[in-house]
Amino acid sequence: MHRTVAGLAPAAPGYRKQHIAPRPLRSLQHAGTSHETPYGLASVAWKRSGERILVEAVVPPGTTAVVSLPDGSEEFEVGSGRYAWDVPDVASAAAHGAVSLDSPLSAIMDDPGAYAAVWQAIDAHDPAAAAQFRKDTVWYRQTSLNQGLIFTPAPIKREIGSALSALSGTRTDVPSLAPREH
């Protein structure tokens, strides 16, 4: 929660550089965290306001922060000071979208039904693998579910694809995930 949902983590030893990257979950309206660094208090907080996310951060004197806002914009660096950003709530915009094996892990994890469909499909075959998926899967926009399931057997991936397709209310043929002959 501290590093991912609220979005405060060290980017250099002793928090001389912070990483500010809040990742709002659709099920939460706000989150915040702070950490007393050797340079002073570092903090990040976000809250929903309609279709917007308001992010506030404090970067202690003598430090910098790499910022990755929840709207998916490019990372940028800031110096010490107080900051406020107002960005679109992309989670609410994508809330009713279709999900598939090609969806980003962030979209799967932000959708409680999709997330449950994935781990339950894995659990039906391998409870230990399902527990591992729930423990180790990280919220990333740049990584698809299919990439995150790289070591998952093809039949289980097909079941996951079917479950997500049914959940999304769409009918798409799930391609074979077996290696192609050249």
Side-chain angles (χ1 to χ4, degrees):
M1 293 287 283
H2 178 81
R3 291 178 181 222
T4 304
V5 176
L8 179 62
Y15 279 83
R16 182 159 182 91
K17 179 183 260 187
Q18 294 98 55
H19 194 228
I20 296 172
R23 297 300 177 244
L25 298 177
R26 279 196 346 231
S27 59
L28 297 176
Q29 292 302 307
H30 59 88
T33 190
S34 62
H35 182 79
E36 187 65 48
T37 76
Y39 307 94
L41 188 68
S43 66
V44 178
W46 62 264
K47 69 179 177 180
R48 284 196 159 76
S49 178
E51 298 293 315
R52 311 287 297 173
I53 300 282
L54 307 173
V55 178
E56 294 182 343
V58 175
V59 180
T63 68
T64 60
V66 175
V67 180
S68 173
L69 295 172
D71 66 343
S73 57
E74 294 291 318
E75 282 189 346
F76 56 95
E77 192 165 325
V78 297
S80 60
R82 292 184 172 276
Y83 296 91
W85 298 280
D86 181 339
V87 297
D89 184 357
V90 294
S92 68
H96 302 292
V99 289
S100 71
L101 286 167
D102 294 323
S103 295
L105 281 170
S106 60
I108 299 297
M109 294 180 80
D110 283 346
D111 182 331
Y115 183 68
V118 172
W119 73 259
Q120 288 169 356
I122 298 169
D123 189 64
H125 297 276
D126 186 347
Q132 198 69 32
F133 174 82
R134 293 181 78 182
K135 178 181 173 229
D136 293 340
T137 302
V138 178
W139 190 99
Y140 283 124
R141 258 194 200 105
Q142 302 86 354
T143 303
S144 72
L145 174 61
N146 198 29
Q147 292 168 321
L149 296 172
I150 191 167
F151 298 113
T152 303
I156 297 173
K157 279 189 180 182
R158 283 193 291 276
E159 277 188 41
I160 292 167
S162 294
L164 293 175
S165 184
L167 184 67
S168 297
T170 60
R171 173 64 181 109
T172 57
D173 291 329
V174 179
S176 170
L177 298 172
R180 294 182 184 162
E181 292 185 36
H182 297 282

